[in-house]
Amino acid sequence: MSHLITYKNITISLSGKSILNIDQLDVAAHQCTLLTGRNGSGKTTLLKIISGLLKPNTANIHYQGLDMSWKQAKPYIQKDIIYLHQQPYLFDASVSDNIAYGLHRLGESKAVARQKVMHALQWADLSHLAHRSAKELSGGEKQRVALTRARILSPQLLLLDEPTASMDTDAKQQTGLLLQRLKSEGVSIIISSHETHTVKHIADHHLHIKDGQLETIEPSTDSDKVSVLKPSKKQSVT
Amino acid sequence: MNDLGQASANAFELLLSGNNDIWEIISLSFGVSFSAILIATPVALIIAFFLAFFQFPLRRTLISLFNTFMSVPAVIIGLTLYLLLSRSGPLGDLRLLFTSKAMVIGQIMLSFPLLVAMAHATFQAADRRAWETAITLGATPWRAFPTLMYEVRFGLIAAIVAGFGRVIAEIGCSMMVGGNILHSTRNIPTAIALETSKGEFAQGIALGMVLLVLSLSLNAGVSVFQGKGELRT
Ligand SMILES: Nc1ncnc2c1ncn2[C@@H]1O[C@H](COP(=O)(O)OP(=O)(O)OP(=O)(O)O)[C@@H](O)[C@H]1O
Ligand SMILES: [Mg+2]
């Protein structure tokens, strides 16, 4: 298994409290990793550090053959890694304009950008929403727009913070479908989730945060651990 | 007595006849206040943003300082500026006293804390996800900042309108550092004070009406924009 990026010695304290103390995190290339942990265990914190949004106390990064500090790596990881909030934030603009947001940076011409947005909308079956105001969309629709907006930038790694929380079965299924497509396109994905059932079928690995540290949960024992973690209602999407 | 009625009628006549003096005073007022707000706003917005989004030493102190300066009376700012700009003052060589430039400076000082405080409150209430989303989608901070400003534009417009409302109507500072010189530094508030003290009620009332309509609509504007800001989530 090849690694896309490796984080070593991640530590962070917030308000004087140590939140994470992780020796090593290898992100598998082109695969999907499930990240679990209790409420407040540090999932969001870890994803934000990985994506370069939150400064850790310490962290070393091995990426593209280089060993760097978090600060040195920040421009690279911000370019190649996209973080999606639990409830994605869409700008006060149309769906198309939201999806086009990151393209400005790439210096695409208007015509090329419009083409790309059109294709991206088709890819996500969102063409019918193109001109709707993004603020008016449902939670599930917002999630899919956010995924499309990320995908159009061809990221190496996509971080999803509880993507299916507070979604109905239909919306989960549609989001799951897009994630599956992204994975088959070679995008590496980390999904933090309580609802392990929803994403288990696309996850290749399972990491669990406990007491600020990462545990790898082997696939063989996966089902036991998962059922311990997630005793609530069963909803499977296949 | 019919003085007041007569004076009001004359006031309308003055305004409608395009009386040169009166329109000169109105345009000077607007010119000075627009310039002041135009200069103060960009710096105030950037400071407000830093105060809201970053942690650094003295941050809390700065915030309360701006909140405190908001309530410094205009005449005190005028007095301070007068002392600085007067012949023997430290900035006397600039020869700015009793010019419209001095009035602009005074109004910048007057509006700045208000602009910072209101814009800070707006940024503070802004959704952090907006900034993070822009950054994670590859925006540089220089591009993420306008994006964020657009997301909270109603609150920021309310701040700017409130700042303008404060300076267009203030008299203390303009009187002290402008000197109410006809054709040069006479603006609406100082003209009203002068004309009324001379017993020239028509001009005073005419300018008063302009200022009143303006202030009322600015205030209405602030509430409209603040309301719009709150509706959006
Ligand atoms: N800005 C902050 N200041 C202080 N403590 C914080 C801050 N942000 C998060 N924390 C704390 O860090 C811990 C981890 O938070 P985090 O949001 O990463 O957890 P999580 O695993 O994502 O939880 P959830 O499942 O509820 O989303 C929590 O105890 C939280 O209270
Ligand atoms: Mg979280």
Side-chain angles (χ1 to χ4, degrees):
Chain A
M1 178 181 83
S2 65
H3 296 148
L4 174 71
I5 184 168
T6 299
Y7 296 76
K8 281 183 188 149
N9 187 27
I10 305 175
T11 61
I12 183 164
S13 326
L14 294 167
S15 312
K17 196 175 116 222
S18 166
I19 307 289
L20 292 174
N21 187 354
I22 295 173
D23 290 335
Q24 182 157 342
L25 163 64
D26 293 310
V27 180
H30 316 302
Q31 298 195 321
C32 179
T33 305
L34 174 63
L35 178 68
T36 54
R38 292 221 320 270
N39 284 128
S41 59
K43 300 184 294 297
T44 299
T45 307
L46 179 60
L47 294 182
K48 286 192 176 175
I49 293 172
I50 294 176
S51 59
L53 285 175
L54 180 68
K55 189 175 179 298
N57 296 63
T58 65
N60 293 310
I61 293 173
H62 184 78
Y63 185 49
Q64 295 182 337
L66 296 171
D67 280 305
M68 297 173 275
S69 68
W70 180 89
K71 207 173 170 180
Q72 289 167 322
K74 193 169 145 182
Y76 303 101
I77 59 184
Q78 281 190 346
K79 183 170 144 286
D80 292 344
I81 302 178
I82 296 181
Y83 169 81
L84 267 80
H85 292 92
Q86 177 165 348
Q87 269 143 23
Y89 186 90
L90 298 186
F91 300 117
D92 190 2
S94 71
V95 168
S96 303
D97 287 348
N98 263 278
I99 291 174
Y101 183 80
L103 290 177
H104 294 291
R105 163 183 62 107
L106 304 176
E108 303 276 17
S109 76
K110 279 239 162 67
V112 173
R114 203 172 314 126
Q115 276 290 323
K116 284 197 168 181
V117 170
M118 226 179 68
H119 283 135
L121 285 164
Q122 282 164 3
W123 173 84
D125 295 322
L126 289 171
S127 301
H128 57 292
L129 297 178
H131 303 293
R132 284 269 297 279
S133 157
K135 294 279 186 199
E136 296 165 0
L137 302 181
S138 75
E141 288 166 336
K142 278 185 181 158
Q143 182 68 252
R144 279 180 288 147
V145 171
L147 271 173
T148 312
R149 182 174 65 179
R151 176 191 175 263
I152 205 170
L153 299 172
S154 325
Q156 296 290 320
L157 173 61
L158 213 52
L159 308 175
L160 293 112
D161 206 343
E162 314 222 15
T164 53
S166 72
M167 265 191 210
D168 65 20
T169 320
D170 254 13
K172 274 179 197 166
Q173 203 154 3
Q174 284 166 319
T175 299
L177 190 73
L178 293 190
L179 289 177
Q180 197 95 56
R181 282 187 199 166
L182 279 164
K183 198 183 132 187
S184 65
E185 290 167 11
V187 182
S188 313
I189 302 173
I190 300 180
I191 303 177
S192 94
S193 184
H194 289 295
E195 313 222 346
T196 44
H197 315 55
T198 322
V199 286
K200 217 170 74 185
H201 64 291
I202 59 165
D204 308 288
H205 306 280
H206 183 173
L207 297 172
H208 182 69
I209 303 183
K210 196 177 168 197
D211 302 328
Q213 302 192 324
L214 270 187
E215 310 178 332
T216 304
I217 295 184
E218 298 302 332
S220 53
T221 61
D222 206 359
S223 48
D224 309 342
K225 299 254 180 172
V226 168
S227 54
V228 173
L229 285 169
K230 186 66 183 81
S232 70
K233 62 180 184 297
K234 287 244 192 282
Q235 276 172 331
S236 62
V237 178
T238 35
Chain B
M1 236 169 79
N2 208 14
D3 270 3
L4 196 62
Q6 187 59 46
S8 303
N10 291 348
F12 269 112
E13 225 179 284
L14 271 176
L15 282 174
L16 295 177
S17 69
N19 177 295
N20 271 340
D21 279 356
I22 217 167
W23 285 104
E24 189 186 39
I25 290 167
I26 292 171
S27 79
L28 182 108
S29 240
F30 274 83
V32 166
S33 297
F34 269 127
S35 311
I37 294 298
L38 210 64
I39 296 168
T41 298
V43 187
L45 292 189
I46 290 173
I47 291 180
F49 168 71
F50 272 90
L51 290 175
F53 270 72
F54 296 100
Q55 295 293 332
F56 51 88
L58 293 181
R59 176 176 159 271
R60 297 246 109 247
T61 320
L62 273 175
I63 293 172
S64 39
L65 216 61
F66 279 113
N67 282 318
T68 312
F69 274 124
M70 221 163 45
S71 48
V72 172
V75 68
I76 301 294
I77 289 178
L79 177 64
T80 312
L81 195 57
Y82 183 96
L83 295 174
L84 287 173
L85 294 179
S86 67
R87 278 290 174 81
S88 51
L91 301 176
D93 290 343
L94 297 176
R95 307 256 161 178
L96 285 176
L97 197 59
F98 303 136
T99 65
S100 57
K101 279 191 188 136
M103 295 163 75
V104 172
I105 297 172
Q107 296 197 353
I108 290 174
M109 291 166 68
L110 202 55
S111 59
F112 197 74
L114 178 72
L115 285 169
V116 172
M118 281 187 72
H120 170 253
T122 300
F123 282 127
Q124 194 69 52
D127 196 327
R128 304 272 135 167
R129 290 176 307 157
W131 176 260
E132 290 178 343
T133 300
I135 295 289
T136 199
L137 291 174
T140 59
W142 284 115
R143 169 132 166 76
F145 184 50
T147 301
L148 179 71
M149 285 200 297
Y150 183 76
E151 294 297 304
V152 297
R153 60 194 177 279
F154 296 112
L156 297 182
I157 293 173
I160 294 168
V161 172
F164 187 78
R166 169 144 206 217
V167 292
I168 192 79
E170 73 79 28
I171 179 165
C173 184
S174 295
M175 191 68 107
M176 300 246 358
V177 301
N180 192 27
I181 303 162
L182 187 60
H183 305 310
S184 150
T185 62
R186 181 166 302 171
N187 65 6
I188 300 176
T190 59
I192 293 176
L194 177 80
E195 299 305 325
T196 310
S197 69
K198 286 197 309 196
E200 302 266 355
F201 294 116
Q203 208 185 43
I205 292 172
L207 291 168
M209 287 190 304
V210 172
L211 198 54
L212 186 66
V213 168
L214 192 72
S215 297
L216 291 178
S217 30
L218 286 177
N219 256 317
V222 172
S223 355
V224 166
F225 283 116
Q226 275 176 340
K228 276 199 176 186
E230 276 154 23
L231 281 179
R232 315 225 152 204
T233 46

Coordinates of all heavy atoms in Angstrom, one line a residue, chain B residues 35-64:
Chain B
S35 N -15.2 62.0 1.8 CA -13.7 61.8 1.8 C -13.3 61.1 3.0 O -12.5 60.1 3.0 CB -13.0 63.1 1.6 OG -13.5 63.9 0.6
A36 N -13.8 61.6 4.2 CA -13.4 61.0 5.5 C -13.8 59.5 5.5 O -12.9 58.7 5.9 CB -14.1 61.8 6.6
I37 N -15.0 59.2 5.1 CA -15.4 57.8 5.2 C -14.6 56.9 4.2 O -14.2 55.8 4.5 CB -16.9 57.7 5.0 CG1 -17.7 58.4 6.1 CG2 -17.4 56.2 4.8 CD1 -17.5 57.8 7.4
L38 N -14.4 57.5 3.0 CA -13.7 56.8 2.0 C -12.3 56.4 2.5 O -11.8 55.3 2.2 CB -13.6 57.6 0.8 CG -13.5 56.9 -0.6 CD1 -14.8 56.1 -0.8 CD2 -13.3 57.9 -1.7
I39 N -11.6 57.3 3.2 CA -10.3 57.1 3.7 C -10.3 56.2 4.9 O -9.5 55.3 5.0 CB -9.6 58.4 4.0 CG1 -9.4 59.3 2.8 CG2 -8.2 58.2 4.6 CD1 -9.0 60.7 3.0
A40 N -11.2 56.4 5.8 CA -11.3 55.6 7.0 C -11.7 54.2 6.8 O -11.1 53.3 7.5 CB -12.2 56.3 8.0
T41 N -12.6 53.9 5.9 CA -13.2 52.6 5.8 C -12.2 51.4 5.5 O -12.2 50.4 6.3 CB -14.4 52.6 4.8 OG1 -15.4 53.5 5.2 CG2 -15.0 51.2 4.6
P42 N -11.4 51.5 4.5 CA -10.5 50.3 4.2 C -9.7 49.9 5.4 O -9.6 48.8 5.7 CB -9.7 50.8 3.0 CG -10.4 52.0 2.4 CD -11.2 52.6 3.5
V43 N -9.0 50.9 6.0 CA -8.2 50.6 7.1 C -9.0 50.1 8.3 O -8.6 49.1 8.9 CB -7.4 51.9 7.6 CG1 -6.4 51.5 8.6 CG2 -6.8 52.6 6.4
A44 N -10.1 50.7 8.5 CA -11.0 50.2 9.6 C -11.4 48.8 9.4 O -11.4 48.0 10.4 CB -12.2 51.1 9.8
L45 N -11.8 48.4 8.2 CA -12.2 47.1 7.9 C -11.1 46.0 8.1 O -11.4 45.0 8.7 CB -12.8 47.0 6.5 CG -14.0 47.7 6.1 CD1 -14.6 47.3 4.8 CD2 -15.1 47.4 7.2
I46 N -9.9 46.4 7.7 CA -8.8 45.4 7.9 C -8.5 45.2 9.3 O -8.4 44.1 9.8 CB -7.6 45.9 7.1 CG1 -7.8 45.8 5.6 CG2 -6.3 45.1 7.5 CD1 -6.8 46.4 4.7
I47 N -8.5 46.3 10.1 CA -8.2 46.2 11.5 C -9.3 45.4 12.2 O -9.1 44.5 13.0 CB -8.1 47.6 12.2 CG1 -6.8 48.3 11.7 CG2 -8.1 47.5 13.7 CD1 -6.6 49.7 12.2
A48 N -10.6 45.7 11.8 CA -11.7 45.0 12.4 C -11.6 43.5 12.1 O -11.8 42.6 13.0 CB -13.0 45.5 11.9
F49 N -11.2 43.2 10.9 CA -11.0 41.8 10.5 C -9.9 41.1 11.4 O -10.2 40.0 11.9 CB -10.6 41.7 9.1 CG -10.2 40.3 8.6 CD1 -11.1 39.2 8.5 CD2 -8.8 40.1 8.3 CE1 -10.6 38.0 8.2 CE2 -8.4 38.8 7.9 CZ -9.3 37.8 7.9
F50 N -8.8 41.7 11.6 CA -7.7 41.2 12.4 C -8.2 41.0 13.8 O -7.9 39.9 14.4 CB -6.5 42.0 12.3 CG -5.6 41.6 11.1 CD1 -5.7 42.2 9.9 CD2 -4.6 40.7 11.3 CE1 -5.0 41.9 8.8 CE2 -3.8 40.3 10.2 CZ -4.0 40.9 9.0
L51 N -8.9 42.0 14.3 CA -9.4 41.8 15.7 C -10.3 40.7 15.9 O -10.3 40.0 16.9 CB -10.1 43.1 16.1 CG -9.2 44.4 16.3 CD1 -10.0 45.6 16.6 CD2 -8.2 44.1 17.4
A52 N -11.1 40.4 14.8 CA -12.1 39.3 15.0 C -11.5 37.9 14.7 O -11.9 37.0 15.3 CB -13.3 39.6 14.0
F53 N -10.5 37.9 13.8 CA -10.1 36.5 13.3 C -8.7 36.0 13.8 O -8.4 34.9 13.6 CB -10.1 36.5 11.8 CG -11.4 36.1 11.2 CD1 -12.5 37.0 11.2 CD2 -11.6 34.9 10.6 CE1 -13.7 36.6 10.7 CE2 -12.8 34.5 10.1 CZ -13.9 35.3 10.1
F54 N -8.0 36.9 14.4 CA -6.7 36.4 14.9 C -6.4 36.7 16.4 O -7.0 37.7 16.9 CB -5.6 37.1 14.0 CG -5.6 36.7 12.6 CD1 -6.2 37.5 11.7 CD2 -5.1 35.5 12.2 CE1 -6.2 37.2 10.3 CE2 -5.2 35.1 10.9 CZ -5.7 35.9 9.9
Q55 N -5.6 35.9 16.9 CA -5.3 36.0 18.3 C -3.9 36.7 18.4 O -3.0 36.2 17.8 CB -5.2 34.7 19.0 CG -6.5 33.9 19.1 CD -7.5 34.7 20.0 OE1 -7.1 35.3 21.0 NE2 -8.8 34.5 19.7
F56 N -3.8 37.8 19.1 CA -2.5 38.4 19.3 C -2.5 39.2 20.6 O -3.6 39.5 21.1 CB -2.1 39.3 18.1 CG -3.1 40.3 17.7 CD1 -3.1 41.5 18.2 CD2 -4.0 39.9 16.7 CE1 -4.1 42.4 17.9 CE2 -5.0 40.9 16.3 CZ -5.0 42.1 16.9
P57 N -1.3 39.5 21.1 CA -1.3 40.2 22.4 C -2.0 41.6 22.3 O -2.0 42.2 21.2 CB 0.2 40.4 22.7 CG 0.9 39.5 21.7 CD 0.0 39.2 20.6
L58 N -2.6 42.0 23.3 CA -3.3 43.3 23.3 C -4.6 43.4 22.5 O -5.2 44.4 22.3 CB -2.4 44.5 22.9 CG -1.2 44.8 23.8 CD1 -0.4 45.9 23.3 CD2 -1.7 45.1 25.2
R59 N -5.0 42.2 22.0 CA -6.2 42.2 21.1 C -7.4 42.7 21.9 O -8.1 43.6 21.5 CB -6.4 40.8 20.6 CG -7.7 40.7 19.8 CD -7.8 39.2 19.3 NE -9.2 39.0 18.9 CZ -10.1 38.5 19.8 NH1 -9.7 38.2 21.0 NH2 -11.3 38.3 19.4
R60 N -7.6 42.2 23.1 CA -8.8 42.6 23.9 C -8.7 44.1 24.3 O -9.7 44.8 24.2 CB -8.9 41.8 25.2 CG -9.1 40.3 25.0 CD -10.5 39.9 25.5 NE -11.4 39.5 24.5 CZ -12.5 40.2 24.1 NH1 -12.8 41.3 24.8 NH2 -13.2 39.8 23.1
T61 N -7.5 44.5 24.6 CA -7.3 45.9 25.0 C -7.7 46.8 23.8 O -8.4 47.8 24.0 CB -5.8 46.1 25.3 OG1 -5.4 45.0 26.1 CG2 -5.7 47.4 26.1
L62 N -7.2 46.4 22.6 CA -7.5 47.2 21.5 C -9.0 47.3 21.2 O -9.6 48.4 20.9 CB -6.8 46.6 20.2 CG -5.4 47.1 20.0 CD1 -4.8 46.3 18.8 CD2 -5.4 48.6 19.7
I63 N -9.7 46.2 21.4 CA -11.1 46.2 21.1 C -11.8 47.1 22.1 O -12.7 48.0 21.7 CB -11.7 44.8 21.3 CG1 -11.2 43.9 20.2 CG2 -13.2 44.8 21.2 CD1 -11.5 42.4 20.3
S64 N -11.5 47.1 23.4 CA -12.2 48.0 24.3 C -11.8 49.4 24.1 O -12.6 50.3 24.3 CB -12.0 47.5 25.8 OG -10.7 47.1 26.0

